[in-house]
Amino acid sequence: MNRKVLIAGLVLVAPLVAVLLIGLGRDPRVVRSPLVGREAPPFALRPVGGGAPVSLASLRGKPVVVNFWATWCVPCIEEHGVLGSGARSWEGRAHFLGVVYQDEEKSIADFLRRQGSAYPTLVDEGGKTAIAFGVYGVPETFFISPDGVVVEKSMGPLDDAALSANLQKALGRAP
Amino acid sequence: MIPGLGRALVLLALLVATGGALVGVAAALRPSGAGREWTRRLAYAFSALMVLANLLMVYALLARDFSVSYVAQVGSRQVPDWVAVVSLWSSLEGSILFWGAILGVFVATATWSLGERHPEYAPWATAVWLTCGAFFAFLLAGPAHPFATVAIPPPDGPGPNPLLQNHLLMIVHPPFLYLGFVGMTIPFGLASAALLAGRLGADFLRPLRTWLLVPWVFLTVAIVLGGWWAYEVLGWGGYWAWDPVENASFLPWLTATAALHSALLVERKGVLKGWTITLVQASFLLTILGTFMTRSGVFNSVHSFTQSAIGPTLLAFLATSLVFSVALLATRVDRLAGEATLLGARSRDGMFLLNNLLLALFTFTVLLGTVFPLVVEAVRGVQMSVGRPYFDRMAAPLGVALLLLMGVGPALPWGTATAGQLRKALLPPLAGALAFTALGLALGVRNGWTLVTLAFGGYTAQVTLRELWLPLRQRMSRRGEGLARAIVETQRQSRRRTGAYVVHAGVVLIVIAIAVSSTMGYDTEVRLRAGESADIGPYRLTFLGADQVREPHRTSLVARVEVARDGRPVAVLGPRMNHYDTQREPIGTPAVRTGFGHDLYLSILNLDPATQTLGLHALVNPMVGWIWIATFVMALGGVLALLPSRRRPAATVPAGAPAAVQPEKP
């Protein structure tokens, strides 16, 4: 038995396996947003199809769900129904906003006409708001507390449970 | 029917591999001809079963039999047949199945080439190979399970990841990588066998080195093919990003390269046996680490497969292999120890040692940078990534130091050299260094690292070419042979030496090409309306317009860009954006015009067909084409070294086949 080899081997091998084991549970695709815990970037955008601009500041007092989406994104379309029914069940207690991400206003309007919508979808000219929010890919949803602070960012399509848990969190309650 | 048959083949392979491993251990502990014979038979049976299971899957993919779960997952009626075949390795379960086939082919070939020879090692080695085989068969029978039955087969499937459908290089890169990765199992088995048998004789060094060189050649080609694919497909204009999975393929390459060199010291001086065995083991363990990285979902990369139950199983296998290797080394390495010879610092031996030290340091540096984000997140809960600057800063000095060693080492004699010998050996190649540096300066190189690379490259190039030329000149002057005959005869008589220097020549070329391409390129981003032009370097780019091209599985927007040089149009390039029906994000394909001195590389940033405006990223990448050429030279050198020579029979030649083979001592 060569003790030196044994010790050297274990010193190299044990931490590596330990680190890999800890890493096993994590999802590298989850990117924490630096915005979480900070005030949401302000915006005032006009809704699809025209109308008065909606500003984030005017929605203070209730939690806000800001969903970045596009019609070319299949998961966004699947998510649309979840957000629609969420907006209806949270009516009067939370605001829902969709923001168009790199899409034609016309295809968004067509889609909304066909599918209906329970909340306004806003046009983000030049993608400035998406850039301010650090949108990485769609769908991405930001949960903003009644006093305007980003509480959670969710990547990928939401389901009912995640939507309501994150809204509870935005209200300052434990999910 | 196919799912059931596939499962039966996989289960049978598991059974045969387990049985073969046990019989192998028994035949090693209580030597018997019959035991060894049965070990071999079971090894062949395992190989055959794995290959059959793969053929069955290919058939199912081509027949679009969606009752097979893997076909339902990656198959599609929309894709052409070649994509259907390539789908075999496009996703997690299939890639493990493919691994099994490659392992089978390797095990069968290695078993056949060892034949009846090395009876004290062979059953141990086969037992280790078949244990690995049993593990992968287990993965296929349990966690991976490509042959699950789909109760209600869907009418059509989604097809494989579009990135893999985007370029023909994707047909060749994964198989080469698998041949390199899986092939490391063979030297691992041989090295373990040497430890288990408690000796590493000179006769056994030969198969060990040959079987290390085979996957080394494949891995070399695979790494560069991967870079080439990234360059031609991903559209950011580079070929290497120190992505965790790129690193995963580079790590075993580094240790295998070190082992190929230290094996020479074992052969010449009888030293470093334990170290060489360790390097061989490390090469295999790093391939398993790399496989874990891509298939566990721990690392995010363009290569990652999705998260799955395979991760924990692979980690268990990796941990077991690591513990097995460390325990085996600790208990057995002292038996291998050769006579302790002090190696002179001013000699070729010393340079070999230094080479091993640098390669080990290189391995450690890359490994550290790769797993460091995991360590930080585990310890401090902070997400971070180790970016290119770290790797580039570490790789540049290590790379140029190795480049210089490749010149200094072969220039020096074996054993200790006198001061006069040193001067005579080391001074003349300075001419090469000066020539390359002067040429670089004349061509506008100003970057410090690139100039150092050129100087060291010139030095090493001169030594390498001299070493290749000297035996030819001797033959020509002493025996009056012509050049062609001298080349053939020299190669025949000293295949390894010739091969090694050809590899070195390729390395000089590739290091210079990498240094120049990564420091001398320039790019521009422009926004063009149809008919407008922009200039980059010697080129004028004119956007002619955009077309939509509809193919069965995708719709592409192609920008037609006319390239003019010195006022004359030389080409129309078509960078494109591909929208796959099954994917939400478009995937760009750049257009590359490869030239002798540099490439012109066009990549679409955005393209609006309605207004005919094009956002274009144009790059001029010098010397990139030479990287591919250099890789060919390196692979050629490896193949030359593997070819059978007249003086020494190659280990790959079976006993009693050609007349030139001398029977070896048992």
Side-chain angles (χ1 to χ4, degrees):
Chain A
M1 173 70 75
N2 187 322
R3 277 174 190 278
K4 271 188 225 160
V5 170
L6 185 67
I7 291 167
L10 289 181
V11 164
L12 269 174
V13 162
L16 181 67
V17 173
V19 163
L20 294 179
L21 196 62
I22 296 170
L24 203 57
R26 92 193 238 275
D27 183 351
R29 288 175 177 78
V30 175
V31 181
R32 268 176 238 139
S33 169
L35 276 180
V36 171
R38 300 201 185 161
E39 191 154 334
F43 61 78
L45 303 172
R46 70 177 174 80
V48 173
V54 177
S55 81
L56 187 60
S58 69
L59 304 177
R60 289 270 167 104
K62 283 176 193 157
V64 185
V65 179
V66 181
N67 171 247
F68 289 86
W69 71 288
T71 51
W72 47 260
C73 144
V74 178
C76 299
I77 291 164
E78 289 164 4
E79 188 190 35
H80 190 75
V82 173
L83 287 168
S85 66
R88 276 187 289 274
S89 66
W90 280 80
E91 192 157 11
R93 291 181 292 151
H95 299 289
F96 280 65
L97 292 176
V99 179
V100 178
Y101 181 75
Q102 295 186 5
D103 203 351
E104 309 263 323
E105 191 172 345
K106 185 176 171 301
S107 39
I108 290 274
D110 285 349
F111 177 84
L112 293 178
R113 210 171 22 251
R114 279 199 314 273
Q115 303 287 324
S117 182
Y119 55 89
T121 288
L122 311 178
V123 179
D124 181 17
E125 296 284 356
K128 291 193 183 71
T129 306
I131 291 168
F133 273 80
V135 172
Y136 178 78
V138 278
E140 241 172 62
T141 310
F142 292 82
F143 293 87
I144 298 165
S145 72
D147 53 351
V149 174
V150 176
V151 178
E152 190 60 75
K153 170 188 175 182
S154 157
M155 297 173 78
L158 287 159
D159 55 23
D160 294 325
L163 178 64
S164 108
N166 284 322
L167 266 167
Q168 294 288 357
K169 202 167 163 186
L171 277 169
R173 300 180 204 138
Chain B
M1 204 236 354
I2 288 182
L5 190 56
R7 284 199 297 272
L9 286 172
V10 166
L11 281 176
L12 215 54
L14 173 60
L15 201 70
V16 164
T18 315
L22 292 174
V23 174
V25 172
L29 290 175
R30 305 185 70 183
S32 80
R36 289 195 292 277
E37 183 61 40
W38 269 105
T39 316
R40 282 198 293 274
R41 280 184 193 150
L42 289 168
Y44 291 134
F46 165 75
S47 312
L49 288 165
M50 276 300 182
V51 171
L52 278 178
N54 275 266
L55 291 177
L56 188 67
M57 183 58 85
V58 170
Y59 171 77
L61 284 164
L62 282 174
R64 273 78 172 175
D65 182 341
F66 296 108
S67 69
V68 180
S69 59
Y70 186 68
V71 181
Q73 191 188 324
V74 302
S76 169
R77 293 188 199 279
Q78 313 296 323
V79 300
D81 278 349
W82 72 265
V83 174
V85 174
V86 173
S87 307
L88 176 61
W89 54 77
S90 74
S91 199
L92 188 58
E93 291 81 5
S95 73
I96 305 264
L97 186 65
F98 187 55
W99 183 294
I102 304 271
L103 184 60
V105 171
F106 264 110
V107 168
T109 317
T111 306
W112 173 72
S113 85
L114 282 184
E116 312 256 345
R117 285 171 296 157
H118 309 294
E120 76 273 42
Y121 306 102
W124 281 126
T126 314
V128 173
W129 301 333
L130 287 181
T131 308
C132 296
F135 169 75
F136 281 96
F138 167 75
L139 264 186
L140 290 170
H145 216 210
F147 284 108
T149 310
V150 179
I152 305 158
D156 199 357
N161 182 341
L163 268 180
L164 308 184
Q165 302 178 34
N166 231 4
H167 202 282
L168 288 177
L169 273 175
M170 221 43 221
I171 309 178
V172 274
H173 163 57
F176 267 90
L177 191 67
Y178 282 76
L179 285 163
F181 261 44
V182 182
M184 289 296 172
T185 315
I186 304 302
F188 175 72
L190 297 173
S192 304
L195 287 172
L196 285 161
R199 63 182 291 263
L200 175 57
D203 60 327
F204 195 56
L205 205 57
R206 205 172 305 144
L208 179 62
R209 216 183 25 221
T210 303
W211 279 109
L212 187 59
L213 189 54
V214 171
W216 182 90
V217 172
F218 285 124
L219 197 53
T220 307
V221 174
I223 292 171
V224 180
L225 278 180
W228 198 357
W229 171 78
Y231 185 71
E232 298 279 348
V233 171
L234 296 185
W236 55 278
Y239 43 82
W240 188 263
W242 297 105
D243 172 293
V245 177
E246 287 171 353
N247 297 348
S249 65
F250 188 45
L251 286 166
W253 186 88
L254 286 171
T255 48
T257 307
L260 285 170
H261 287 91
S262 69
L264 259 165
L265 279 185
V266 179
E267 187 183 10
R268 292 239 171 199
K269 305 268 165 174
V271 293
L272 294 187
K273 281 186 180 175
W275 171 244
T276 305
I277 293 281
T278 311
L279 286 172
V280 173
Q281 288 187 319
S283 305
F284 167 76
L285 295 167
L286 286 168
T287 63
I288 301 296
L289 176 69
T291 311
F292 170 76
M293 284 180 176
T294 34
R295 283 163 184 80
S296 61
V298 170
F299 293 87
N300 198 6
S301 138
V302 51
H303 302 76
S304 342
F305 293 90
T306 45
Q307 280 181 303
S308 72
I310 295 176
T313 323
L314 266 174
L315 185 57
F317 181 62
L318 175 64
T320 314
S321 311
L322 281 166
V323 170
F324 169 78
S325 304
V326 170
L328 201 57
L329 265 179
T331 48
R332 296 296 180 118
V333 75
D334 290 339
R335 296 203 196 176
L336 301 183
E339 62 277 34
T341 315
L342 204 61
L343 301 173
R346 293 186 303 182
S347 65
R348 199 181 283 199
D349 331 5
M351 294 304 121
F352 267 98
L353 263 188
L354 199 55
N355 144 302
N356 262 245
L357 201 68
L358 288 177
L359 283 171
L361 193 64
F362 208 154
T363 311
F364 188 71
T365 312
V366 176
L367 183 62
L368 192 67
T370 309
V371 298
F372 194 65
L374 282 183
V375 178
V376 172
E377 195 175 354
V379 177
R380 293 183 46 210
V382 182
Q383 279 183 320
M384 62 158 298
S385 60
V386 175
R388 275 191 79 138
Y390 163 82
F391 289 106
D392 285 345
R393 215 173 295 145
M394 302 305 270
L398 285 166
V400 295
L402 282 164
L403 183 62
L404 180 64
L405 268 187
M406 276 169 46
V408 174
L412 291 176
W414 292 96
T416 310
T418 63
Q421 280 177 313
L422 280 183
R423 271 197 300 279
K424 207 172 154 221
L426 295 182
L427 291 182
L430 288 175
L434 269 176
F436 273 45
T437 316
L439 186 67
L441 282 169
L443 291 175
V445 179
R446 294 294 177 270
N447 179 285
W449 279 114
T450 310
L451 285 171
V452 172
T453 308
L454 282 172
F456 289 3
Y459 190 95
T460 302
Q462 182 169 340
V463 173
T464 307
L465 293 179
R466 194 188 62 196
E467 292 295 317
L468 281 171
W469 171 244
L470 274 181
L472 297 183
R473 200 185 62 187
Q474 275 180 358
R475 287 196 81 92
M476 280 156 61
S477 63
R478 285 197 196 147
R479 304 196 186 187
E481 288 171 356
L483 180 62
R485 180 159 178 79
I487 290 175
V488 171
E489 289 298 320
T490 311
Q491 152 62 13
R492 231 181 242 179
Q493 295 207 346
S494 51
R495 61 186 171 93
R496 274 171 43 204
R497 187 179 176 283
T498 316
Y501 284 117
V502 172
V503 173
H504 279 197
V507 175
V508 170
L509 196 55
I510 202 169
V511 175
I512 289 178
I514 289 171
V516 169
S517 69
S518 54
T519 55
M520 304 275 295
Y522 47 93
D523 67 326
T524 179
E525 283 182 17
V526 289
R527 214 174 158 71
L528 299 175
R529 288 179 179 281
E532 287 179 343
S533 299
D535 291 334
I536 176 167
Y539 299 105
R540 165 154 290 194
L541 311 173
T542 310
F543 177 41
L544 301 177
D547 302 321
Q548 196 161 30
V549 181
R550 175 73 208 166
E551 287 165 80
H553 57 307
R554 66 181 188 189
T555 311
S556 303
L557 276 176
V558 185
R560 277 176 293 120
V561 179
E562 186 193 72
V563 179
R565 190 170 185 169
D566 309 322
R568 269 192 333 219
V570 289
V572 175
L573 294 182
R576 45 176 38 202
M577 289 293 242
N578 304 314
H579 292 259
Y580 287 84
D581 301 345
T582 49
Q583 301 290 322
R584 58 181 229 209
E585 303 277 355
I587 291 169
T589 302
V592 188
R593 183 169 191 267
T594 304
F596 191 73
H598 61 246
D599 291 2
L600 175 67
Y601 190 104
L602 302 181
S603 178
I604 295 181
L605 294 171
N606 48 61
L607 176 57
D608 188 343
T611 59
Q612 292 279 311
T613 48
L614 167 71
L616 186 69
H617 189 197
L619 302 95
V620 170
N621 294 325
M623 278 194 88
V624 170
W626 288 97
I627 295 177
W628 325 137
I629 296 172
T631 310
F632 175 75
V633 174
M634 287 171 73
L636 177 73
V639 171
L640 285 180
L642 284 168
L643 289 177
S645 74
R646 183 175 282 175
R647 236 179 8 194
R648 293 200 188 95
T652 42
V653 177
V661 174
Q662 301 160 355
E664 276 195 61
K665 280 182 230 118

